[in-house]
Amino acid sequence: MTLPMVLSMLVNSLYNIIDSFFVAQISEEAMTALSLVYPVQNFINAAGIGFGVGINAVISFYLGAGDHRKADQAATQGLVLAVIHGIVMTVCCITIMPAFLGMFTSSKTVIELGVRYSVIAFAFTLIIIVGVTFEKLFQAVGNMKTTMISLMCGCITNIVLDPVLIFGYGLFPEMGIEGAALATDIGQALTLTIYLVVYLARPIRVHIRRQYILPSKKMVIKLYSIGIPATLNLALPSLLISALNAILAAYSEVYILVLGIYYKLQTFVYLPANGIVQGMRPLIGYNYGAGEHQRVSQIFKIVLCISGIIMVLGTVICLLIPGQLMGLFTHTEATIQTGETALRIIGAGFIVSAVSVTSSGALEGLGKGIPSLLISLCRYVVVIIPTAFLLSRFFGAVGVWNAFWITEAITAIISICVYYKAIAQSQLSQSTVK
């Protein structure tokens, strides 16, 4: 269940790095613009994936309970709501971008580049949201190979088109930063196309049915009760990045650039771990629905160990070659040195973060959206933002980097407590119903 997702997430993280690598060749201003747009991009992805997690969890639960009619209803109404979300976000995100960018920089060049990139990138929001919804449908029935193939085809297409559209080769004109946005859009459109073709050619156990299009109050509430907390879980990094950008802007835009580069690089660690978690969610949801509590516990422990191994590798890489990693995105020696310090300090928190990442994903698979959200709030808002602000007053930008590992250590302890409390309550609830 997890291996196909880990492979596709690795390719996806590679796309993130290569995408930023080519944008960095345009100028440091272009890379800074990309860093400032990233929180809004992350919010769009968070809304799509988060609500998709709700769809995934509800479908998995009903399949485990043997209720295929309710599973079809969840899939159909989830898709309809996802389309509405996509249309609303397209309009809102394009509209707010000039004002949003102006909150973090006074550079007209950076603002102009950011607006040019975001208008094209956000025009495909609906396609992104619908694509993610189909991804979660396939995952809910255990069809991870289709998800892997679709994501990999989209990402590889994006990687190939990046230099072609940015710098202009052959018949293609030089588009600059707009080319990077268009390459991403084309990759996302291809991913959705593959999902649709496979769904129509080889129907899966869950179906989109016309008779379920009209919303059912109970089903909508169930979808949102998991989808909203999951969305907030994934959207909180956007709030965190914006808050840290505001703190770092008081010192230099170089630190904003370094933070942006870090968030591109960390995808190579956290996306594979997220692939493990995505494989875990339907398994945990299915077994929970079937009342197999011992198997739920086994799955959690296995995923925690695998995620820990991934995080160890990420820590080692950040300690050994931080300068080479930063050099992929900038040739300015001062920026590289600043980035080396940041990567070494932040990387110290990778290993312990496996606890909160796994706990949060497991709770979503169980349909426990609120406890999962509590973990993410600690990790992305309640602990790290005040800690970063206070430490920056005493140690400058270095204080912000140290806030990362301190937060991961505190959140890991909270995660274990929240997870086992939620598990105990869910077991008691199921036994009472029986």
Side-chain angles (χ1 to χ4, degrees):
M1 289 289 282
T2 62
L3 185 58
M5 290 311 305
V6 172
L7 292 174
S8 61
M9 290 295 101
L10 279 169
V11 174
N12 196 26
S13 60
L14 184 62
Y15 131 71
N16 270 298
I17 292 172
I18 292 177
D19 192 44
S20 300
F21 171 78
F22 286 117
V23 170
Q25 307 309 305
I26 301 173
S27 65
E28 277 203 355
E29 286 87 353
M31 187 61 202
T32 302
L34 201 66
S35 299
L36 292 175
V37 172
Y38 178 75
V40 181
Q41 278 186 297
N42 186 70
F43 174 78
I44 291 172
N45 288 327
I49 296 171
F51 189 69
V53 167
I55 298 171
N56 181 303
V58 174
I59 291 174
S60 296
F61 177 83
Y62 283 125
L63 288 177
D67 193 338
H68 292 269
R69 186 185 69 82
K70 283 287 184 68
D72 289 348
Q73 186 182 26
T76 305
Q77 295 186 14
L79 178 61
V80 172
L81 292 170
V83 169
I84 295 171
H85 300 162
I87 294 171
V88 171
M89 283 192 290
T90 299
V91 176
C92 292
C93 291
I94 291 176
T95 303
I96 68 167
M97 279 315 296
F100 178 81
L101 293 169
M103 293 169 60
F104 305 102
T105 179
S106 58
S107 170
K108 292 183 179 179
T109 302
V110 171
I111 293 174
E112 180 193 356
L113 288 167
V115 170
R116 284 163 50 190
Y117 176 86
S118 59
V119 166
I120 294 177
F122 298 161
F124 279 62
T125 298
L126 178 59
I127 289 175
I128 294 170
I129 299 298
V130 174
V132 169
T133 302
F134 272 94
E135 171 191 317
K136 299 306 176 188
L137 292 183
F138 279 97
Q139 288 176 2
V141 298
N143 191 342
M144 298 302 191
K145 288 184 179 178
T146 298
T147 300
M148 177 186 71
I149 292 169
S150 301
L151 288 173
M152 289 183 71
C153 287
C155 290
I156 291 170
T157 299
N158 192 142
I159 290 169
V160 172
L161 289 179
D162 257 334
V164 172
L165 297 180
I166 291 173
F167 305 113
Y169 292 117
L171 300 174
F172 296 93
E174 181 180 344
M175 297 180 65
I177 198 168
E178 290 100 326
L182 185 58
T184 300
D185 291 340
I186 293 172
Q188 297 281 4
L190 177 61
T191 295
L192 174 57
T193 300
I194 294 172
Y195 283 134
L196 293 174
V197 170
V198 173
Y199 176 80
L200 294 172
R202 301 178 62 184
I204 56 179
R205 283 193 295 160
V206 175
H207 304 91
I208 307 298
R209 298 190 184 279
R210 188 176 300 173
Q211 64 261 39
Y212 298 135
I213 288 180
L214 292 178
S216 159
K217 183 178 179 181
K218 287 185 178 179
M219 183 59 70
V220 170
I221 291 173
K222 196 171 186 66
L223 289 168
Y224 277 120
S225 68
I226 303 171
I228 290 177
T231 297
L232 293 175
N233 278 343
L234 295 165
L236 288 174
S238 296
L239 175 61
L240 171 61
I241 296 168
S242 296
L244 295 183
N245 281 340
I247 294 171
L248 294 170
Y251 301 99
S252 170
E253 280 193 3
V254 169
Y255 297 116
I256 293 177
L257 175 59
V258 168
L259 184 67
I261 293 173
Y262 159 71
Y263 270 100
K264 295 294 181 179
L265 290 171
Q266 60 96 37
T267 60
F268 205 72
V269 177
Y270 283 106
L271 281 183
N274 185 48
I276 300 287
V277 170
Q278 289 192 45
M280 170 184 67
R281 282 196 195 106
L283 285 174
I284 276 191
Y286 188 93
N287 283 285
Y288 175 62
E292 293 283 351
H293 298 298
Q294 185 176 355
R295 194 174 291 172
V296 168
S297 179
Q298 274 185 314
I299 294 168
F300 174 78
K301 291 174 182 177
I302 290 170
V303 171
L304 180 59
C305 291
I306 298 174
S307 297
I309 292 169
I310 293 172
M311 296 303 171
V312 168
L313 294 174
T315 301
V316 171
I317 291 171
C318 285
L319 291 176
L320 293 180
I321 55 169
Q324 290 88 327
L325 293 174
M326 293 300 300
L328 294 172
F329 307 99
T330 179
H331 301 296
T332 305
E333 189 60 33
T335 304
I336 292 174
Q337 290 179 358
T338 301
E340 285 182 349
T341 302
L343 288 181
R344 285 197 173 102
I345 295 174
I346 296 174
F350 283 167
I351 298 174
V352 72
S353 72
V355 176
S356 55
V357 170
T358 306
S359 299
S360 184
L363 288 167
E364 288 170 352
L366 292 169
K368 305 292 181 180
I370 300 301
S372 176
L373 176 59
L374 177 61
I375 293 172
S376 293
L377 281 169
C378 292
R379 191 170 177 226
Y380 294 116
V381 179
V382 176
V383 179
I384 190 169
I385 292 178
T387 303
F389 178 77
L390 290 173
L391 291 179
S392 70
R393 300 300 97 180
F394 295 99
F395 306 106
V398 175
V400 175
W401 312 143
N402 278 283
F404 280 84
W405 69 263
I406 293 172
T407 298
E408 296 294 3
I410 295 172
T411 305
I413 298 170
I414 296 172
S415 299
I416 290 295
C417 297
V418 170
Y419 175 75
Y420 282 107
K421 182 179 179 180
I423 284 290
Q425 289 177 340
S426 65
Q427 291 178 353
L428 179 62
S429 175
Q430 277 199 338
S431 63
T432 302
V433 170
K434 288 180 181 179

